[in-house]
Amino acid sequence: MPGRTLDTKKRRVFNSVFGTPPISQPTPVTTPITGFTAPGQAFGAPPLHNDTFSSQLSSPSKLSPPGTDHVQDQVRWDRSWHIATRVLNLPDFAEHRGVLEPLKPERESVGKDFYQALNVLIYPQTYVPLARQTEDIIAWHTSQVRRHFLRQVLPIILRLKKHEKPDAILLRVVKVLETAQRQYLHGLSFIKEHIDNSGLPGTSTPVVSRFRRDVYAVISNSVTEPILDILTKVLTSQVSYILGLSSPNGSTYSVVPEDAESERSRREILGLVESLKNVGLAGEQFQVTFAEVMNDSMTEYVNRGCKGIWSQLDLSGSQSSNETILPRTAHHPSPSRCVRDLCEWIENRYAKLAVQVLNMLDTKFNISWTDKEKYKEMSIGRLAELRINELYDIVVNWPHSRGALDDLRTAITTPQRRLHLTEVFAKTLSEKLLHPGASTLRILQTYISMIWSFHALDHSKVLLDRVAYPLQLYLCSREDTVRIIIAGLLSDTEDAQDNPITSSTDKLVELAQLLNKGSEQVGSRADDEELDWHDTEWIPDPVDAGPGYKRSKNADIIGTLIGVLGSQEVFIKEFQNIMGENLLKHDGSFEKEIKVLELLKVRFGEAPLQACEVMLKDIQDSGRVNSVIRKKQNLDSHGSENDAQILGAGSIADSQSKPSLHAKILSRLFWPQLHDEEYQVPNEIMELQEAYEEGFESIKASRKLTWLHALGQATVELQLEDRIIVEEVHTWQATVIYAFQSEDENIQRTTEELVTELGMDETLVRSALKFWVNKLVLHETSPNTYSVLETLNQEDRARSNAQASAPSSSNKDDSLDDDTGLGSSDGIGKEKMGMYWQFIQGMLKNSSSQMSLPQIAMMLKMLIVDGFPYSNEELQEFLGRKVQDGSLEVVSGKYKLKK
Amino acid sequence: MSNYDMEDTQNSAPGALPPAQASKLAPRRGVDAQSTTKRLQTELMQLMTSSAPGISAFPSAADNLLRWAATIEGPDDTPYQGLTFKLSFEFPSNYPYAAPTVLFKTPIYHPNVDFSGRICLDILKDKWTAAYNIQTVLLSLQSLLGEPNNASPLNGEAAELWDKDPEEFKRKVLGRHRDVDDE
């Protein structure tokens, strides 16, 4: 290449001395087009260049006959064109051309004839008015530039792209483009100068700007596309440096504070934008790219700076700065940490960069410093979106996620966002929680967190109501909901060492804590709140509150949970059941139950809880009555204590001491239905019971005792050959082991024997046997035959010790508990059978003459006020009995009344 | 922000909730509906525990207590002896402060019932009080079968025949009676 430039240089020097060889003129004075040669000129001979030309130029008015003038003008035009274009012809573009290299054509090399030719070309009307074919020299130059650019410059740029780092490529591209542009403008500058010299001042401006625009268009159209990805890369990395989003250590997810590095990047990017603008690459495409990069980095910042950061702001930060940093809409008494950080970041870094860069570009929009408020609101929107997606986890982490809720509260300002929030949350909720895999306890715990969290988010409960509905519905389908809630209410809030239990895996301790705190006032404060003129915290009802919206200031967890259950009757009934169970199972003063009962009375009023109160009173009274009777009947004897519920019987004692019996006397009408098993109590107990009965009847003549054998507790002391076992067991378990009491060391008993002898249900016998086998008291010598394990071998002893050291409560929690649970009896009880039968008859007679099992079950569940606690299988069995006795028939899987 | 680019739903949001929820939000109506439901549940319980002979009633579907179906057996010593009649009850939402709409579903030939099953009975119209209930209505209808009010007949021919030609009346009753199945 250098050789070639040298060549052209030489030629130019030569030409400047000797003139351009006329032979190279494509349009000689005499051309075949004209048809004639001028008089006195030889056909085809080289024209007398200088003479003709200058004379023609100097005296256009002297032009003679129209025919020849026309030809002459055309020829002059053509020649001028040739001269000018040859001079202005762009040289080849050298890839590694130095910036300082002079531009061609050099000004000194341009001769006078060039300017004369330009005159003709620029003002054809004046100089060659008759030339028919004229063209615009500027348009020619533009198109030559375009061609030149596409043929020579663009390939260089595309080649650059292949090998080099993005930012280096970009610099090179910019450089190449600058050089090319200089070249193009240089060519134009001749024309411009000429116009400026010959015409009115300022006439060149539109010409130049049009040219510049055209060139920019060419460049940005052809270059932007191929280098767009590079541009994006460079912008992304620079912007992320400036905004502190780069993570030099790879995985550090934090925001880098402003430092020298980011300052350097800032300068770099501004320089880059400046030069891009100069070469015409800062067009719309660039702006779009920049906007995208900025947009992404805002999301990135929100993700990085705020994701999972839910803790609350420590209020040491200066409060005063809030006023200026937070946007107007985000002002709030308790500032949230992330929102503040975000706004600071926007203010100090983001908006600064955006405004600086955008101000350098010619955009249609006027970006000013005040636009930062817009950015802030946008970023808060992003934060809201992030938090909304995190909301489920935030809720689960309550109360450690208060900060996140503050963020949300700041950000959730429009009904649309509120709606969006509830929609997203409801969806997550149903995906993550409302499925069979989640335990009812977990659902309830989450629900409690939800109530807290949403209350913190929005005191109005409107949001909560919207998301809680499916949850409530789902909870209704869980059978153990009520039980868990009540168990939670009744659970211990302090462990054995008086340390508060904050969470538990099997109970809703939270409820007990709430109840104990008593901070939740119940009442109708909602009604008079409107009139409370002193309430400085008053805010209007949320705009999206439904009709009938009622404000309520506190979260009222218990109230809400009980509300879930539909009616308080259901709740109270279950409470009664569970309390009854507790009262029968344990001794003591039942302080907890009394307390819960008192608190529930505050909530529900006295009347609905009357039965519970009677139950408590029964238990308290029976303590007194018990001692009176025992004294009277001389039942007090020493020996292991047998604690029988009123109707429960104690049992076993060891051979030396006599058993003793304590009873709890229940008022039948006020207790939930108690499920009893009939069986033969041991004779000793029977005698005690009779004596007790006598004593009772002498005190309360009008009343009669009925014993519920299976409901008691018995303390059993077993003396075996090598050990003594003391166990707190169910009475029926005690009865079974009592049957093994014998002088005979090797007594063996079969299951059948026990069933007939004790008159006890076989399943009960079996479970009692299993219980004692587990306790290593009995062992199964052959199938269904058991004998006492008087001595333990080594291995068994180890097991026994291990058992003893395990908490004794766990022993009672085996599968047997359910057998004595209140109300949970097998099959459908006789008392209720009649009523259910009425219902079934009623529906088969009136609603639909044929119904399937699920339909009937559904009807019963929905229509019986107290609920229908039986499973479909139990119902099926019941219906089966009705089919057997001929009241019903089954037609193609559906039940029908027999006529 | 495009996420929030939805129409302003502040007014329609509650409407989008399921009806059960919606009714919860509208207490005045809700309280009424609740007390109506409660009343009907109580009545159902009553009917089931102490049923009068020859009448029975039950909700048509478990999820809507406001529609019931009922059955009356024709009283002995009347032309309707041995026949059963189905009726439909439709309760207004302010029941028991307004009378239910009662229709005979089984075609019946009776002076006070027209051919589409509408009944002319004062306690179902202006004499209704909240003290009446499903059972009393059914008992009244049952006695109406034996003692029609021929002074204000809906079926003139029947009213006439009742007095003039009991045989023909009975024939018409049997001719018109037809067991209806469930819809």
Side-chain angles (χ1 to χ4, degrees):
Chain A
M1 290 306 235
R4 200 168 136 200
T5 26
L6 201 66
D7 231 329
T8 37
K9 247 184 193 167
K10 266 188 196 162
R11 200 169 57 226
R12 209 168 340 122
V13 174
F14 183 82
N15 285 349
S16 64
V17 177
F18 297 101
T20 324
I23 205 72
S24 73
Q25 291 178 357
T27 331
V29 179
T30 46
T31 59
I33 313 166
T34 58
F36 308 98
T37 44
Q41 278 190 351
F43 181 81
L48 299 169
H49 172 84
N50 283 334
D51 291 350
T52 354
F53 201 67
S54 49
S55 68
Q56 276 164 351
L57 281 180
S58 51
S59 55
S61 55
K62 277 191 268 171
L63 291 174
S64 31
T68 9
D69 281 353
H70 155 70
V71 172
Q72 275 188 351
D73 275 3
Q74 186 65 47
V75 169
R76 276 185 68 201
W77 163 265
D78 286 347
R79 290 170 59 87
S80 307
W81 180 264
H82 179 76
I83 292 167
T85 53
R86 201 168 55 82
V87 171
L88 290 177
N89 196 20
L90 288 167
D92 285 345
F93 191 78
E95 187 173 346
H96 297 286
R97 196 189 146 130
V99 186
L100 294 175
E101 207 169 315
L103 291 163
K104 281 179 280 185
E106 280 144 66
R107 231 157 255 282
E108 310 81 57
S109 69
V110 179
K112 198 183 163 213
D113 50 349
F114 168 71
Y115 290 106
Q116 285 176 339
L118 265 188
N119 250 345
V120 172
L121 295 180
I122 293 170
Y123 308 107
Q125 280 85 0
T126 324
Y127 293 101
V128 282
L130 298 173
R132 284 185 185 150
Q133 293 181 327
T134 58
E135 276 180 73
D136 185 358
I137 181 72
I138 297 164
W140 170 83
H141 184 62
T142 312
S143 84
Q144 112 164 329
V145 162
R146 184 178 301 131
R147 207 168 42 244
H148 182 265
F149 180 77
L150 293 178
R151 295 247 175 89
Q152 307 207 27
V153 182
L154 191 58
I156 294 172
I157 290 172
L158 293 182
R159 265 204 304 283
L160 279 177
K161 220 189 120 181
K162 285 188 191 124
H163 39 75
E164 276 191 78
K165 286 197 299 185
D167 40 350
I169 297 176
L170 208 58
L171 287 180
R172 288 295 306 275
V173 168
V174 168
K175 214 171 193 174
V176 167
L177 288 173
E178 270 173 356
T179 322
Q181 219 168 41
R182 259 178 76 217
Q183 175 75 61
Y184 302 153
L185 287 174
H186 179 70
L188 186 74
S189 67
F190 287 105
I191 303 171
K192 172 180 178 292
E193 273 167 26
H194 195 77
I195 296 176
D196 282 344
N197 290 341
S198 59
L200 294 167
T203 38
S204 66
T205 328
V207 174
V208 173
S209 68
R210 184 145 39 98
F211 174 75
R212 199 181 278 269
R213 200 190 60 213
D214 287 349
V215 171
Y216 282 170
V218 172
I219 292 176
S220 74
N221 279 343
S222 52
V223 177
T224 314
E225 200 62 43
I227 66 159
L228 197 58
D229 50 339
I230 296 169
L231 190 63
T232 315
K233 248 183 239 164
V234 172
L235 275 182
T236 312
S237 77
Q238 298 281 26
V239 165
S240 68
Y241 266 121
I242 298 170
L243 299 181
L245 295 172
S246 60
S247 40
N249 311 340
S251 61
T252 47
Y253 272 87
S254 61
V255 177
V256 184
E258 247 175 336
D259 54 8
E261 180 80 349
S262 64
E263 202 41 54
R264 196 176 55 78
S265 291
R266 185 189 301 280
R267 278 200 307 276
E268 265 175 35
I269 204 169
L270 293 178
L272 180 70
V273 171
E274 181 71 47
S275 50
L276 284 176
K277 189 191 164 197
N278 286 341
V279 299
L281 277 179
E284 209 162 297
Q285 288 265 31
F286 170 79
Q287 288 162 26
V288 168
T289 311
F290 181 69
E292 274 170 5
V293 169
M294 288 304 273
N295 181 44
D296 289 348
S297 53
M298 186 187 279
T299 312
E300 174 75 15
Y301 180 86
V302 169
N303 271 342
R304 212 185 268 193
C306 306
K307 193 172 199 166
I309 298 178
W310 299 335
S311 53
Q312 220 166 358
L313 176 71
D314 49 346
L315 293 168
S316 56
S318 56
Q319 289 274 346
S320 56
S321 62
N322 290 332
E323 301 305 314
T324 49
I325 283 183
L326 298 178
R328 193 181 48 79
T329 49
H331 277 177
H332 208 277
S334 76
S336 86
R337 186 173 116 183
C338 285
V339 170
R340 273 197 53 178
D341 282 356
L342 193 60
C343 288
E344 265 171 18
W345 178 76
I346 294 279
E347 169 126 7
N348 295 334
R349 304 175 80 169
Y350 191 90
K352 195 164 141 197
L353 177 68
V355 169
Q356 275 178 340
V357 169
L358 291 177
N359 275 340
M360 290 177 71
L361 305 172
D362 321 311
T363 48
K364 286 175 223 126
F365 316 103
N366 208 3
I367 303 293
S368 72
W369 188 231
T370 48
D371 284 308
K372 71 182 180 189
E373 296 302 318
K374 268 187 220 155
Y375 296 140
K376 280 180 191 171
E377 271 164 39
M378 259 161 72
S379 67
I380 288 177
R382 298 282 160 82
L383 181 63
E385 181 67 26
L386 173 76
R387 288 287 184 254
I388 285 172
N389 288 328
E390 285 179 328
L391 188 54
Y392 179 77
D393 296 315
I394 293 175
V395 164
V396 171
N397 277 321
W398 173 268
H400 307 292
S401 52
R402 260 171 217 268
L405 291 167
D406 283 340
D407 292 345
L408 260 184
R409 193 180 42 198
T410 320
I412 299 294
T413 45
T414 60
Q416 287 83 357
R417 273 192 204 166
R418 288 161 68 95
L419 189 66
H420 180 65
L421 175 132
T422 49
E423 274 169 2
V424 170
F425 187 76
K427 192 159 162 283
T428 327
L429 196 65
S430 65
E431 271 168 13
K432 292 202 174 164
L433 196 64
L434 306 183
H435 55 75
S439 70
T440 309
L441 185 75
R442 208 183 114 209
I443 299 177
L444 282 169
Q445 275 167 340
T446 313
Y447 190 26
I448 292 176
S449 310
M450 261 169 72
I451 299 173
W452 281 123
S453 314
F454 276 80
H455 187 253
L457 191 61
D458 166 35
H459 287 294
S460 69
K461 269 188 167 185
V462 171
L463 294 180
L464 180 66
D465 279 348
R466 278 198 229 147
V467 294
Y469 184 66
L471 183 78
Q472 292 172 349
L473 215 60
Y474 187 78
L475 273 179
C476 288
S477 72
R478 291 285 181 112
E479 285 171 3
D480 49 349
T481 309
V482 187
R483 187 162 275 264
I484 287 179
I485 292 175
I486 293 164
L489 283 176
L490 289 173
S491 63
D492 292 306
T493 48
E494 286 173 344
D495 61 15
Q497 283 81 44
D498 284 351
N499 297 320
I501 303 173
T502 45
S503 66
S504 156
T505 46
D506 59 339
K507 275 185 177 166
L508 275 180
V509 182
E510 297 90 334
L511 282 183
Q513 285 163 341
L514 283 175
L515 200 60
N516 286 333
K517 255 189 262 159
S519 59
E520 303 197 8
Q521 324 110 4
V522 192
S524 53
R525 63 206 172 265
D527 299 333
D528 36 76
E529 191 176 289
E530 298 290 341
L531 302 173
D532 186 2
W533 303 106
H534 300 291
D535 184 4
T536 49
E537 300 274 283
W538 187 89
I539 42 162
D541 288 353
V543 283
D544 46 356
Y549 161 76
K550 254 198 173 150
R551 64 170 59 246
S552 128
K553 257 198 182 154
N554 58 25
D556 192 14
I557 307 275
I558 298 175
T560 317
L561 280 180
I562 293 173
V564 169
L565 311 172
S567 65
Q568 64 182 48
E569 282 91 42
V570 183
F571 178 80
I572 289 173
K573 206 163 149 52
E574 191 63 35
F575 178 70
Q576 220 174 326
N577 279 337
I578 291 175
M579 194 168 91
E581 224 167 281
N582 280 351
L583 291 180
L584 293 187
K585 219 183 250 169
H586 309 292
D587 273 328
S589 53
F590 300 107
E591 277 166 23
K592 211 166 52 215
E593 277 79 3
I594 295 171
K595 195 154 119 200
V596 173
L597 186 62
E598 289 304 317
L599 289 166
L600 287 178
K601 268 200 280 188
V602 174
R603 190 173 283 277
F604 295 132
E606 300 253 347
L609 290 161
Q610 192 197 12
C612 296
E613 218 163 330
V614 173
M615 283 162 68
L616 260 178
K617 192 159 172 294
D618 272 347
I619 298 298
Q620 284 159 348
D621 283 354
S622 16
R624 233 181 17 254
V625 173
N626 185 36
S627 55
V628 171
I629 295 175
R630 289 171 63 78
K631 208 180 267 166
K632 209 167 172 182
Q633 299 292 318
N634 292 323
L635 291 177
D636 273 323
S637 60
H638 32 273
S640 66
E641 190 175 294
N642 277 325
D643 199 0
Q645 328 301 6
I646 116 168
L647 323 166
S651 64
I652 321 292
D654 57 86
S655 43
Q656 282 93 38
S657 64
K658 295 192 98 193
S660 77
L661 178 82
H662 299 265
K664 287 177 180 166
I665 295 135
L666 315 181
S667 317
R668 185 175 61 83
L669 285 176
F670 292 93
W671 283 71
Q673 196 193 344
L674 300 171
H675 177 70
D676 189 31
E677 291 285 342
E678 275 301 316
Y679 61 87
Q680 195 67 39
V681 291
N683 283 336
E684 286 184 47
I685 304 294
M686 186 99 88
E687 283 162 21
L688 281 174
Q689 283 182 347
E690 276 161 15
Y692 200 102
E693 226 169 296
E694 215 172 278
F696 179 77
E697 271 159 33
S698 68
I699 298 177
K700 310 220 168 182
S702 56
R703 295 216 248 157
K704 213 174 151 285
L705 276 186
T706 319
W707 296 91
L708 297 176
H709 300 302
L711 288 182
Q713 291 291 320
T715 309
V716 180
E717 193 177 323
L718 301 171
Q719 286 186 344
L720 302 171
E721 239 158 62
D722 59 345
R723 65 202 188 280
I724 294 175
I725 292 175
V726 180
E727 278 290 346
E728 179 96 12
V729 298
H730 292 297
T731 44
W732 45 272
Q733 288 166 335
T735 308
V736 169
I737 198 66
Y738 187 78
F740 285 87
Q741 173 160 312
S742 150
E743 295 307 312
D744 178 9
E745 295 240 325
N746 299 317
I747 183 169
Q748 293 214 340
R749 314 215 113 207
T750 63
T751 319
E752 292 80 46
E753 254 174 56
L754 288 171
V755 169
T756 39
E757 196 172 306
L758 301 176
M760 201 188 279
D761 194 58
E762 189 179 331
T763 47
L764 216 52
V765 172
R766 281 187 191 283
S767 73
L769 287 171
K770 201 173 128 221
F771 173 80
W772 289 115
V773 168
N774 275 339
K775 290 267 169 263
L776 297 174
V777 173
L778 296 180
H779 65 127
E780 197 166 7
T781 46
S782 57
N784 288 334
T785 309
Y786 295 83
S787 68
V788 179
L789 200 61
E790 288 285 354
T791 51
L792 293 178
N793 59 31
Q794 208 62 29
E795 194 185 323
D796 286 345
R797 189 169 291 280
R799 257 180 68 200
S800 162
N801 287 340
Q803 256 181 16
S805 63
S808 64
S809 62
S810 69
N811 295 339
K812 285 194 275 177
D813 285 346
D814 48 1
S815 59
L816 310 175
D817 264 4
D818 279 351
D819 293 345
T820 54
L822 297 185
S824 63
S825 51
D826 305 324
I828 295 174
K830 282 188 193 105
E831 323 72 32
K832 295 224 161 171
M833 205 138 67
M835 189 186 70
Y836 295 145
W837 179 233
Q838 284 296 329
F839 269 89
I840 294 166
Q841 275 181 309
M843 72 178 84
L844 288 176
K845 205 169 189 175
N846 296 300
S847 322
S848 175
S849 63
Q850 294 185 9
M851 290 179 89
S852 63
L853 181 71
Q855 280 175 314
I856 295 178
M858 166 91 164
M859 275 278 203
L860 290 175
K861 278 186 182 144
M862 299 279 290
L863 292 177
I864 296 177
V865 182
D866 305 335
F868 181 74
Y870 302 102
S871 68
N872 282 7
E873 287 68 36
E874 284 163 330
L875 177 63
Q876 187 168 24
E877 196 191 308
F878 174 72
L879 292 173
R881 265 181 271 150
K882 287 291 172 193
V883 173
Q884 267 173 14
D885 69 21
S887 325
L888 280 181
E889 58 184 340
V890 185
V891 180
S892 64
K894 290 188 167 182
Y895 291 93
K896 199 178 165 183
L897 281 179
K898 208 157 188 173
K899 288 186 179 160
Chain B
M1 295 291 150
S2 62
N3 285 326
Y4 308 110
D5 263 350
M6 46 190 82
E7 62 179 306
D8 187 346
T9 44
Q10 71 178 69
N11 292 321
S12 59
L17 296 171
Q21 176 86 326
S23 73
K24 217 188 266 176
L25 293 173
R28 193 163 297 156
R29 204 156 43 90
V31 164
D32 263 353
Q34 215 178 356
S35 70
T36 304
T37 309
K38 204 157 187 170
R39 155 91 181 216
L40 287 169
Q41 265 173 336
T42 318
E43 285 199 29
L44 177 63
M45 212 61 190
Q46 249 169 26
L47 276 170
M48 291 299 116
T49 44
S50 60
S51 56
I55 57 168
S56 84
F58 208 77
S60 305
D63 51 356
N64 183 6
L65 270 178
L66 295 182
R67 292 174 65 98
W68 286 41
T71 314
I72 299 182
E73 280 165 27
D76 291 349
D77 306 320
T78 68
Y80 305 98
Q81 184 175 350
L83 304 178
T84 55
F85 296 95
K86 297 239 174 201
L87 298 102
S88 73
F89 277 67
E90 205 147 322
F91 298 93
S93 58
N94 56 348
Y95 180 81
Y97 303 107
T101 310
V102 187
L103 292 177
F104 270 96
K105 283 291 162 195
T106 311
I108 182 170
Y109 188 76
H110 188 277
N112 301 111
V113 183
D114 72 4
F115 285 114
S116 44
R118 283 182 291 235
I119 304 163
C120 176
L121 182 63
D122 52 357
I123 65 160
L124 290 177
K125 305 260 152 43
D126 49 332
K127 292 281 168 55
W128 172 264
T129 75
Y132 288 115
N133 59 29
I134 301 169
Q135 190 161 4
T136 54
V137 168
L138 285 173
L139 287 172
S140 306
L141 286 172
Q142 199 179 26
S143 66
L144 186 71
L145 292 184
E147 302 152 18
N149 177 6
N150 285 331
S152 60
L154 279 175
N155 181 343
E157 184 198 62
E160 245 173 71
L161 281 180
W162 176 269
D163 292 322
K164 280 188 189 154
D165 193 349
E167 286 298 311
E168 176 67 6
F169 187 90
K170 171 115 198 207
R171 211 176 50 74
K172 292 241 175 183
V173 164
L174 292 178
R176 178 139 175 77
H177 184 266
R178 179 158 45 78
D179 275 324
V180 283
D181 244 344
D182 317 294
E183 56 260 51

